[in-house]
Amino acid sequence: MGSSIENGTTVIQFDLRKHDFQQELGTTAPICWRKESYHVDVHELSTFHNPMTYRFIVAQGSYVNGKDQRMYFTPTIKASRPPSI
Protein backbone atom coordinates (compact mmCIF):
# COMPACT_ATOMS: atom_id res chain seq x y z
CA MET A 1 0.00 0.00 0.00
CA GLY A 2 2.79 2.40 0.81
CA SER A 3 5.43 3.42 3.29
CA SER A 4 6.20 6.32 5.58
CA ILE A 5 8.53 7.41 8.35
CA GLU A 6 7.01 7.62 11.84
CA ASN A 7 9.19 8.75 14.75
CA GLY A 8 12.33 7.61 12.92
CA THR A 9 10.87 4.19 12.01
CA THR A 10 10.16 3.11 8.42
CA VAL A 11 6.57 1.82 8.31
CA ILE A 12 5.52 -0.35 5.36
CA GLN A 13 1.74 -0.77 5.12
CA PHE A 14 -0.22 -3.73 3.76
CA ASP A 15 -4.02 -3.72 3.50
CA LEU A 16 -5.04 -7.37 3.93
CA ARG A 17 -8.54 -6.51 2.71
CA LYS A 18 -7.01 -6.28 -0.80
CA HIS A 19 -6.02 -9.99 -0.69
CA ASP A 20 -7.98 -12.42 -2.93
CA PHE A 21 -10.13 -13.92 -0.17
CA GLN A 22 -12.74 -15.19 -2.64
CA GLN A 23 -10.21 -17.69 -3.96
CA GLU A 24 -8.85 -18.50 -0.50
CA LEU A 25 -12.35 -19.08 0.92
CA GLY A 26 -13.53 -20.93 -2.18
CA THR A 27 -16.42 -18.61 -3.00
CA THR A 28 -17.45 -16.33 -5.83
CA ALA A 29 -19.71 -14.27 -3.55
CA PRO A 30 -18.82 -10.62 -2.98
CA ILE A 31 -16.84 -9.93 0.19
CA CYS A 32 -18.19 -7.24 2.53
CA TRP A 33 -15.91 -5.53 5.07
CA ARG A 34 -16.83 -3.85 8.34
CA LYS A 35 -16.15 -0.13 8.35
CA GLU A 36 -14.12 -0.39 11.55
CA SER A 37 -10.63 -1.58 10.74
CA TYR A 38 -7.57 -1.99 12.93
CA HIS A 39 -3.90 -2.58 12.38
CA VAL A 40 -1.23 -4.91 13.69
CA ASP A 41 2.38 -3.72 13.72
CA VAL A 42 5.19 -6.23 13.31
CA HIS A 43 8.66 -4.92 14.13
CA GLU A 44 11.57 -6.31 12.14
CA LEU A 45 15.09 -6.75 13.35
CA SER A 46 16.98 -4.83 10.71
CA THR A 47 20.50 -3.72 9.92
CA PHE A 48 19.16 -0.62 8.16
CA HIS A 49 19.78 2.78 9.70
CA ASN A 50 16.08 3.17 10.57
CA PRO A 51 14.09 0.47 12.38
CA MET A 52 11.41 -1.14 10.19
CA THR A 53 7.78 -1.93 11.02
CA TYR A 54 5.28 -3.79 8.86
CA ARG A 55 1.72 -2.52 9.43
CA PHE A 56 -1.07 -4.91 8.45
CA ILE A 57 -4.54 -3.35 8.16
CA VAL A 58 -7.38 -5.83 8.81
CA ALA A 59 -11.14 -5.86 9.42
CA GLN A 60 -13.84 -8.47 9.88
CA GLY A 61 -15.28 -9.64 6.57
CA SER A 62 -18.34 -11.60 5.55
CA TYR A 63 -19.99 -13.22 2.54
CA VAL A 64 -23.18 -15.17 1.85
CA ASN A 65 -22.59 -18.85 1.05
CA GLY A 66 -24.61 -21.09 -1.28
CA LYS A 67 -27.09 -21.90 1.55
CA ASP A 68 -27.90 -18.17 2.07
CA GLN A 69 -25.93 -18.16 5.33
CA ARG A 70 -23.76 -15.19 6.22
CA MET A 71 -20.22 -16.41 6.89
CA TYR A 72 -17.87 -14.19 8.93
CA PHE A 73 -14.08 -14.27 8.87
CA THR A 74 -11.13 -12.20 9.99
CA PRO A 75 -7.85 -12.35 8.07
CA THR A 76 -5.08 -13.93 10.13
CA ILE A 77 -1.50 -12.79 10.25
CA LYS A 78 0.86 -15.72 10.36
CA ALA A 79 4.03 -15.19 12.33
CA SER A 80 7.24 -16.48 10.85
CA ARG A 81 10.52 -17.10 12.54
CA PRO A 82 13.85 -16.10 11.06
CA PRO A 83 15.97 -19.05 9.97
CA SER A 84 18.32 -20.47 12.59
CA ILE A 85 22.00 -20.11 11.97
Side-chain angles (χ1 to χ4, degrees):
M1 229 179 93
S3 64
S4 62
I5 302 285
E6 294 180 11
N7 299 323
T9 299
T10 301
V11 179
I12 301 172
Q13 295 185 30
F14 299 91
D15 190 342
L16 294 183
R17 297 171 294 181
K18 306 290 185 197
H19 183 73
D20 186 3
F21 283 104
Q22 288 176 314
Q23 179 181 357
E24 190 169 315
L25 296 168
T27 184
T28 57
I31 302 290
C32 299
W33 296 102
R34 291 188 74 157
K35 291 181 183 178
E36 303 85 27
S37 64
Y38 62 96
H39 69 270
V40 176
D41 287 347
V42 178
H43 304 280
E44 178 179 321
L45 297 174
S46 173
T47 58
F48 291 117
H49 177 69
N50 292 349
M52 292 183 67
T53 296
Y54 297 100
R55 179 166 291 158
F56 297 94
I57 300 169
V58 294
Q60 186 180 51
S62 66
Y63 65 97
V64 177
N65 69 10
K67 298 178 183 178
D68 287 333
Q69 298 170 315
R70 183 161 304 277
M71 306 299 292
Y72 293 93
F73 68 96
T74 302
T76 57
I77 300 171
K78 298 177 183 174
S80 62
R81 291 184 158 169
S84 300
I85 299 178

